[in-house]
Amino acid sequence: MKTKRNMNAGFTMMLMLMVLVLGACSANNNKTATDTRTRVGIVLTEVGLGDRSFNDAAFDGLVQARNEKSIVFDYREPSKDLTTEAAFEQFAEAKVDLIIGLSDTAQADMEKVAAKYPDQQFLLIDSQSKLPNISSISFKAEEGSYLAGMIAGFATTDDHVGFLGGMDIPVLRNFQQGFEQGVKAVNPDATVDVVYAGDFGNAKLGEELASQMIEEKDADVIYVAAGLTGVGALTEIQKSGKYAIGVDTDQFFLAEKAILTSMLKNVDVSIYNAVNTFIQNNHTFPQKQIIEGLAENAVGLTALHNITLSDEQQRTFDDLNRQISSGKIKVTLDQ
């Protein structure tokens, strides 16, 4: 009887040891699986998540890659307590495989950190750097903005349209110039007023500037490229019974009675593709500078709302679209 009890006790102990060993193996396997994924860190602009535009689109590209289990990622939102430079430094110290920064406003801070960590790989969106460990993705936003300009030129009844930008920076001047040239291509008599808010994160300011453009300048179509500031502008444009063109993502749901279309800059697609390229090339980029436009489907327009083009307008739009895509027509940039 005693022997049987001892045998049972021994058997129970063996089972417990097996469970512990299997559990440890399972934990190690999970850890290994996580460790083999590429680690990515992204530093957003100061506006952060919820801008329904640039930051959200970039974040969505990484979410897609994460959901496919190719990466794990973390993000930082610069604030009064965390500078952009410090955010880059945190990721560099953590030795993540790839650090992504958004906008040319982040370039100087990224370059400071990249110079200190020459073995760390960085990816800069919307600008280019000469440092060897910073690759870049740039968009021919002027091409998509040219299409937006054509729609504004067709839609205006007062021959007076506007461009409302967040900050007067090179990338947004490309938006502006493409838009102006698109308007003039189909409506040479139209006037284009340009206003820069100096802020991407102030919805109230966006409302005020849009109101001024409508009431003081008689603009009846406004192309808004201003992040969260632009969200306020879209609200005011709809309230005033005028028309708007959104940017970066499909912003129709923000002002359904006002939005004619949105100029898509497919940041999510480009970041997703870049991350996969980085993984497939052993954590390097075969091209230091990636430049994409209409031909690569990196920019374009959403479906039209609140406007129907005439047959003649549609033929003109399609023809100029083809010429821009093929490179036959090039948007002139003064920088």
Side-chain angles (χ1 to χ4, degrees), residues 262-301:
S262 295
M263 198 290 280
L264 294 178
K265 190 166 72 171
N266 295 318
V267 180
D268 53 343
V269 175
S270 293
I271 285 182
Y272 170 80
N273 290 338
V275 166
N276 283 331
T277 298
F278 180 74
I279 293 169
Q280 291 161 11
N281 287 273
N282 297 315
H283 288 183
T284 61
F285 288 105
Q287 295 175 269
K288 188 175 187 301
Q289 296 177 354
I290 302 165
I291 303 173
E292 300 178 328
L294 278 177
E296 295 79 19
N297 197 32
V299 298
L301 296 185

Side-chain angles (χ1 to χ4, degrees), residues 195-264:
V195 173
Y196 284 98
D199 194 332
F200 283 110
N202 191 332
K204 183 64 178 175
L205 176 60
E207 290 180 21
E208 293 169 358
L209 292 176
S211 178
Q212 289 174 16
M213 296 177 81
I214 292 166
E215 294 178 9
E216 298 175 13
K217 300 292 186 178
D218 296 322
D220 59 358
V221 183
I222 302 175
Y223 180 28
V224 181
L228 193 59
T229 302
V231 174
L234 295 176
T235 302
E236 181 60 31
I237 293 166
Q238 177 166 265
K239 196 183 301 181
S240 300
K242 304 300 181 181
Y243 292 113
I245 295 174
V247 77
D248 289 340
T249 60
D250 189 348
Q251 295 188 313
F252 174 65
F253 71 98
L254 293 174
E256 295 186 2
K257 295 178 181 178
I259 292 284
L260 299 176
T261 185
S262 295
M263 198 290 280
L264 294 178

Side-chain angles (χ1 to χ4, degrees), residues 84-94 99 112-113 116-117:
T84 301
E85 182 181 349
F88 284 129
E89 185 112 31
Q90 286 180 7
F91 284 132
E93 288 177 350
I99 302 173
K112 288 178 189 175
V113 177
K116 290 172 61 178
Y117 297 86

